[in-house]
Every structure is written in structure tokens, then in C-alpha cells.
Amino acid sequence: MNRTAHFIILLLLILSAPLRTTAQKAALDSVLHLLEKHPARDVGRLDLLNESIRRYEFIHPRRAVTLGDEATALARSLGDERRLVVALYRRVALDQAGGNMSDRSKELNEAIAIGRRLGLKSDLAWALLRKGLNDINQNGPDTNRTELVESARIFHALGDGEGEGAALNLQASDVRDTDTARAEALYQQAERLLKKSGQIEWLVRALQNQVYWHWMGNRFDKAIGIGERALSECTGTGYDVLIMGTHSLLGNANKEGGHYRASIEHFLIALRISEVLDLTENSAIACLNLGPMNLMIDDPAQATVFLQRGYELAKKSANPGLMTYALRGLGQIEMERGAYAKALQHFEEALSLCSNGTSSQANIDQCASSAYVSIGDARTGLEDILGAKAAYEAALAAAERSQLKWEMGVSRNCLCKALLRIPDSLLHEAGFARARSRDLRAVDIALRTVGPAREGGWASIRISTLTVLVEGYERLNDPANALL
């Protein structure tokens, strides 16, 4: 079967998803039917609620939020602490599966405390696992995340391969940035346990985490291979959240690997599933990936459609970060057309959104730095040399405020090139007493860029900056250094 036929079949499977009856969805339907027939607010209804939200996690997490809220409220009103623990960590699981990364430490700490006091080993282990994942989402990797270590230890003692594999999978994700050998071993151990347990949900998650790891490590072929394995495990299961996530990861891995048409096919399927599941942010992300990919295959009209749609979806979900990404993409299309004034409008609107929401200072600075660089590029196109210089300086200031290495490299590279473009007639207005001062500053900034670019493997920045150094040294009549 050729690759195109393979994707057509997968797309048809997704399009027919609402009409298919899988074992998982049939089981969920049975639980929901029993729940409908059991209106009494008692332990029986609470058990049905907890079971329904467990089954919803991998199928349609957003749809189960009200059921999860009812479960926690009912458990509290009944004073049933054992079932409250289950309701608490399963309610958090719905948010985590649905892409809601808000901090849920309060609920999880409560579940952990009750689990310890009542000796509920299995439920304690799951609550600890969810707490570990919550902390990863909030604070990033941490090799000393004790919740995951304790969770794995409890599951191992209980002989629960699914739970132990799930905990080891998250441990691997926690250490992969600092200890690749240990991460590889943990992933393999997790995969063995999860395959043996026969539970594909966490097996696919473990494979997805490896896809992300290899994709971010520029090991694109390996990422794609593991992603295809994950897809074969979950296609046809009805676990639409897992299928959507796997296609999205494969879209990114293919994108970075230069396989643009394959990337588009994966993101289209991810978009279709996210629309069926009413996951607005996921739909926006798919559109914002499809925009640039269509540009890469020389289809700017379709790229514009996806970026505009992505912007509207991001606006609907009240996500300023995604809105700025869409606006910068739309601005880039205008730049390609030579419509620099229109591009500038998009970039300035993107900048105005950077400080919205509850983002960290680092995220705000990252957004602002990128937006200022785009503004500088648009002003360069408009031949506003001093305006471009000011924008690049603002980009560098934002990047340095949060010590964002990549953004510092990009803004410095742009700034040193902008300095060399300043004509002698504008030297005084640009703040320079003479041409030599301008050229010395350009060389100084370039020198501070080359080293980090070499260490970071940023070939394009390094080459561009070396070109600036050559021109700068030639202007300074320093032929020896110009031989760089």
C-alpha cells in the first residue's frame, strides 16, 4: 500500500469515527445508560460516575468534566473519602487529557493525604502519578520528582504493570533532558510492562513521549518510526484523544524532517478529530501548523485560510499565545508578498497580545522578542532603518531579561546586520558619533553571537553572523580578522 492510500484510509477511519462502535465506546455507552437509570444520589451513582470519567479520559475528556465535578461533589456530600480520592485524581486526569494545564496541586494533595491516611495503596499511587504529571506541566522536568518514584514503587509492590509502566514513562520524561541513557532504559522498561499488561492507553502515551523526545532532539526519522508504531497501536480503538495526539506528533516530526506533504496529511487528521471532540485549542494548533506547511509547498492561499481560521479558534479559546502565533504567520505571508505595511500591522497586533493572560515572565518575553524581530523585519522592508534597529534592540532586551538563548541569538544576529545598514547620513540620529563606532558595535554584537550559535548548533545564525563579522572587520580596515 502506498503512502497516499495509507493516509486516505486513515482519514476515512477518522471521518467515520462518530458512526463506529468500538469496544471502548460500547462499554462507555453501557455505563452512561446505567447512570441515566440511576438518579439517586448514593454510592451506586458515585461508582458509575467514577467509572464513566475513567472511560471518557481517552475518548472525549471535555465531555466528562461535568460528570467529574458531580463525582467529587457527591463524594463530599456522602462523606465517602475512599471514593473521593478516586474522583479527585480522575477529575484531574480529564483536564490533563484535554490539554488543560492549570495547576491542580490542591485537589491532588488532598487525594494523596487521604490515600495515605486510609492506606489506599493503588489509589494513592495513581494520585501520586497525577501529581507528578501536574508538576511536570507546571515546572518542567525535575530529576528528583519523588511522587513518580514513590508511585512506581507502590505499583511494583502491588504487581500492577500498567501503573508501574505509566509511572516509569513519566520518570523517563522527567530525566530525558539530563540523562539520555537512563531515559532510554526507563522508556524501554515502561514499554515492556505496558505491553505485558495489555493496556494500550499508557503504552501509546509512552510511545508518544518518545516521539516528542526524538523530535526535539532532531532525530526525526526515529521519531517518525516510533510515531507510526504508536499509530498502529491506537488506530481503530476509539481512543480518539490518543489518535489525535499521535497524528499531531507525527505532523511535527515530519515537518521538522522536511516531509511537508506527510506533515499536512497528519495535521489534517488531527484537525478533524479535534473538531469532533470540540477541542478548540487543539484545532487552533492544527490550523497554525497547517498554515506554514502549506507555505512550504507553495500554496500561500491555503496557508492564509488555515492561519486565519487558527486565529479565530485561538481567539475563541482565549489563548493570546496562539493568537500571536497566527498573527505572525499572517504577517509573514504579507512579507512574502512584499506588503510590508500590512505585515507590520499583524506583527504589532501580535506584540500587543504578548502580555495578556497569565503567562510567566519568560513566556511573555519570548513572545515579545519574537514579535519585535518580526516588526524589525517589516520595518527593514519598509526601509525604516532606524525603526528596524529600535525593534531589534527591544527584541534583544526582552530575550536578555529572561535569558532566552535562542531568542538572544536571533535578535543579536538581526541587530548587528541592521547596524551595518545604517547610512552615514543617519549616524547621529542613530546615536553614533562616527561610522567607526557603528561598525565596532556591530562587530561586538556579532562576536557575542557566534559562540552561542556554534554551541547551540544554530548553523543559519552562525553563518549569517560570520558574514557580518567579515564585513565589519573590512570596514574597520582589519584584514586579518576579516579572513574569518
Side-chain angles (χ1 to χ4, degrees):
M1 184 186 298
N2 63 40
R3 192 175 183 87
T4 301
H6 169 72
F7 276 106
I8 290 173
I9 290 173
L10 283 175
L11 184 56
L12 288 174
L13 281 171
I14 298 308
L15 290 172
S16 63
L19 304 177
R20 287 184 287 123
T21 302
T22 65
Q24 291 78 16
K25 288 181 178 177
L28 173 59
D29 288 342
S30 296
V31 175
L32 293 175
H33 177 73
L34 291 172
L35 190 60
E36 185 179 353
K37 299 295 184 182
H38 195 109
R41 292 181 59 76
D42 58 13
V43 169
R45 180 171 180 81
L46 181 53
D47 286 339
L48 289 169
L49 285 167
N50 277 334
E51 181 62 18
S52 66
I53 61 178
R54 181 183 75 83
R55 293 186 177 278
Y56 259 127
E57 179 185 350
F58 298 100
I59 297 174
H60 200 325
R62 293 282 176 88
R63 190 175 288 170
V65 167
T66 54
L67 296 176
D69 290 340
E70 183 186 348
T72 54
L74 182 54
R76 291 188 192 281
S77 68
L78 294 173
D80 192 326
E81 290 191 310
R82 181 175 69 82
R83 289 177 172 83
L84 176 59
V85 172
V86 177
L88 285 168
Y89 73 72
R90 286 186 180 169
R91 174 62 183 85
V92 172
L94 292 175
D95 280 347
Q96 291 175 339
N100 182 347
M101 298 304 176
S102 60
D103 188 6
R104 305 304 296 275
S105 297
K106 182 180 179 181
E107 296 95 323
L108 291 169
N109 286 337
E110 181 183 4
I112 290 167
I114 297 172
R116 288 194 196 283
R117 178 161 50 81
L118 299 182
L120 307 174
K121 292 183 180 179
S122 179
D123 292 326
L124 170 61
W126 281 112
L128 286 165
L129 183 146
R130 292 294 173 181
K131 179 62 162 53
L133 179 55
N134 179 80
D135 289 351
I136 290 173
N137 290 338
Q138 296 305 309
N139 306 308
D142 180 353
T143 54
N144 296 312
R145 193 140 354 242
T146 56
E147 293 93 346
L148 296 177
V149 175
E150 184 181 0
S151 177
R153 187 172 63 247
I154 295 172
F155 282 130
H156 181 77
L158 294 172
D160 185 337
E162 178 191 7
E164 184 181 2
L168 292 176
N169 164 48
L170 293 180
Q171 280 188 51
S173 300
D174 224 9
V175 304
R176 64 191 176 196
D177 291 342
T178 55
D179 191 340
T180 56
R182 186 181 172 212
E184 189 78 50
L186 285 168
Y187 276 133
Q188 290 176 1
Q189 187 180 356
E191 194 174 332
R192 284 194 300 270
L193 286 165
L194 292 165
K195 279 187 174 180
K196 187 177 179 180
S197 74
Q199 300 295 322
I200 70 163
E201 301 97 320
W202 281 99
L203 171 60
V204 173
R205 283 188 170 182
L207 292 171
Q208 287 178 339
N209 284 345
Q210 292 178 66
V211 174
Y212 179 82
W213 181 37
H214 292 300
W215 154 41
M216 296 302 290
N218 298 328
R219 299 178 292 274
F220 306 124
D221 288 343
K222 193 165 186 177
I224 291 168
I226 296 173
E228 294 289 356
R229 281 172 51 206
L231 204 55
S232 69
E233 293 284 353
C234 61
T235 297
T237 63
Y239 289 139
D240 291 340
V241 171
L242 294 178
I243 298 169
M244 177 192 69
T246 303
H247 277 294
S248 183
L249 285 165
L250 278 167
N252 280 299
N254 277 283
K255 173 181 69 176
E256 298 299 335
H259 311 299
Y260 303 129
R261 293 188 184 277
S263 176
I264 287 172
E265 290 167 332
H266 281 296
F267 280 127
L268 281 172
I269 297 173
L271 174 60
R272 173 57 182 160
I273 302 173
S274 64
E275 289 176 332
V276 170
L277 299 181
D278 195 28
L279 299 174
T280 307
E281 282 193 9
N282 294 82
S283 298
I285 290 168
C287 286
L288 296 181
N289 277 293
L290 284 163
M293 287 303 93
N294 276 276
L295 270 183
M296 297 304 295
I297 62 169
D298 297 322
D299 192 346
Q302 193 62 40
T304 302
V305 169
F306 279 118
L307 287 168
Q308 288 176 336
R309 186 177 173 193
Y311 174 78
E312 293 303 323
L313 288 166
K315 190 175 182 179
K316 181 180 178 181
S317 64
N319 189 318
L322 293 179
M323 290 169 67
T324 60
Y325 188 91
L327 288 165
R328 286 174 53 216
L330 290 167
Q332 194 57 47
I333 291 175
E334 298 296 348
M335 291 279 288
E336 296 287 337
R337 294 171 176 160
Y340 301 115
K342 286 185 178 180
L344 183 60
Q345 290 177 353
H346 285 306
F347 296 146
E348 288 180 336
E349 185 179 353
L351 177 63
S352 71
L353 294 170
C354 285
S355 59
N356 288 1
T358 57
S359 294
S360 66
Q361 187 61 50
N363 287 339
I364 292 171
D365 287 336
Q366 184 179 43
C367 177
S369 182
S370 298
Y372 274 122
V373 165
S374 296
I375 289 170
D377 292 344
R379 291 198 176 280
T380 298
L382 291 168
E383 298 184 0
D384 179 4
I385 305 301
L386 297 184
K389 169 181 172 289
Y392 294 137
E393 287 174 335
L396 179 57
E400 288 180 335
R401 186 160 46 242
S402 291
Q403 288 298 293
L404 305 170
K405 292 182 180 180
W406 166 256
E407 285 75 12
M408 287 163 65
V410 170
S411 53
R412 282 174 178 161
N413 177 49
C414 291
L415 179 56
C416 61
K417 289 190 292 184
L419 289 171
L420 291 184
R421 284 193 291 266
I422 298 173
D424 290 352
S425 59
L426 292 178
L427 283 175
H428 180 72
E429 196 173 346
F432 297 107
R434 57 187 187 277
R436 184 174 178 82
S437 301
R438 171 201 60 199
D439 299 336
L440 281 171
R441 188 175 177 214
V443 167
D444 175 64
I445 293 172
L447 285 172
R448 286 188 284 141
T449 309
V450 171
R454 181 178 60 251
E455 293 166 6
W458 310 328
S460 60
I461 291 179
R462 186 183 179 200
I463 292 169
S464 177
T465 308
L466 284 171
T467 302
V468 170
L469 281 174
V470 170
E471 182 179 349
Y473 280 128
E474 286 178 344
R475 291 187 181 192
L476 293 168
N477 197 24
D478 189 345
N481 276 312
L483 291 176
L484 284 169

